[in-house]
Amino acid sequence: MKTHGYPPRLYWYIAAVLGVALPVAAGAVVRVVLEPPDLATWVGVILFFGLALLADMKPVPLDVENERVVSLAFVFVVSSQILFGWEYAVLSAIGGVLVSQMVERRPVARSLFNAAVYGLAAFSSAFPVFLLGASSDLEWITLYAFVGGALYVIVNVVLVCGALAILAGQPLRVLLRDNLRHSGPAFV
């Protein structure tokens, strides 16, 4: 396996994130297989997957140098979670990242890590529904969207900054603060 100059500790971190994400992804697959959606749901899931994929392929620059970019795919993933269920959000998040990373020819370890992070972030966006129950009331759906979106971003940022902290040999809090300063306004 090529190490790409990554420290061994980073591979352990990647393995831990994958170890948490794999049962979530497997659970999503099982849910879809045991409760297959109707045609209208499939069309909606595929549409939101395609939109998330497009957003991942064209991230939004946060600076003039185009060194910092942010994907707005989470908007479609969280929407998919609210409209269709956590299992579809998880699978579209993982699938979208894997496709975009393959197109960009990213290293396998990085692609798997990013897919795992997106899958866990998508799963976390469903916590409000898990805790409070599904609802068709506009107020509840709005709450689910905002809280679920915030959870998605938090899980994504913390896990990615964790990997970057190991790679850079810096404290996690330094990277979190830097990320919040540069990317935070895009999500507010």
Side-chain angles (χ1 to χ4, degrees):
M1 172 195 281
K2 290 184 180 178
T3 63
H4 298 281
Y6 298 155
R9 191 169 147 224
L10 180 59
Y11 284 103
W12 286 108
Y13 181 78
I14 291 170
V17 172
L18 284 167
V20 175
L22 282 173
V24 172
V29 169
V30 168
R31 286 277 310 239
V32 172
V33 169
L34 292 179
E35 299 175 28
D38 59 17
L39 180 61
T41 301
W42 267 124
V43 169
V45 167
I46 291 168
L47 174 66
F48 277 81
F49 168 76
L51 293 170
L53 178 60
L54 287 173
D56 244 354
M57 300 290 290
K58 290 291 186 184
V60 177
L62 297 174
D63 58 10
V64 177
E65 297 84 20
N66 208 20
E67 291 178 7
R68 294 179 181 263
V69 295
V70 64
S71 168
L72 297 180
F74 81 97
V75 172
F76 302 106
V77 172
V78 172
S79 298
S80 181
Q81 182 273 125
I82 291 169
L83 293 171
F84 310 114
W86 69 269
E87 58 273 24
Y88 299 104
V90 167
L91 294 175
S92 69
I94 290 171
V97 170
L98 285 176
V99 169
S100 68
Q101 299 276 297
M102 286 171 35
V103 168
E104 295 171 0
R105 299 186 186 275
R106 302 286 186 197
V108 172
R110 181 176 175 180
S111 299
L112 292 174
F113 172 75
N114 287 336
V117 167
Y118 265 43
L120 290 173
F123 184 67
S124 72
S125 76
F127 285 178
V129 176
F130 293 153
L131 295 173
L132 303 172
S135 175
S136 58
D137 291 340
L138 182 59
E139 295 82 12
W140 285 105
I141 293 172
T142 303
L143 176 74
Y144 295 160
F146 279 102
V147 175
L151 289 170
Y152 184 101
V153 171
I154 290 166
V155 168
N156 188 342
V157 168
V158 169
L159 290 175
V160 170
C161 284
L164 294 175
I166 293 168
L167 186 62
Q170 294 183 345
L172 177 61
R173 67 177 165 6
V174 170
L175 285 154
L176 286 173
R177 190 177 321 122
D178 181 62
N179 193 283
L180 180 62
R181 187 182 59 210
H182 289 286
S183 302
F187 295 107
V188 175

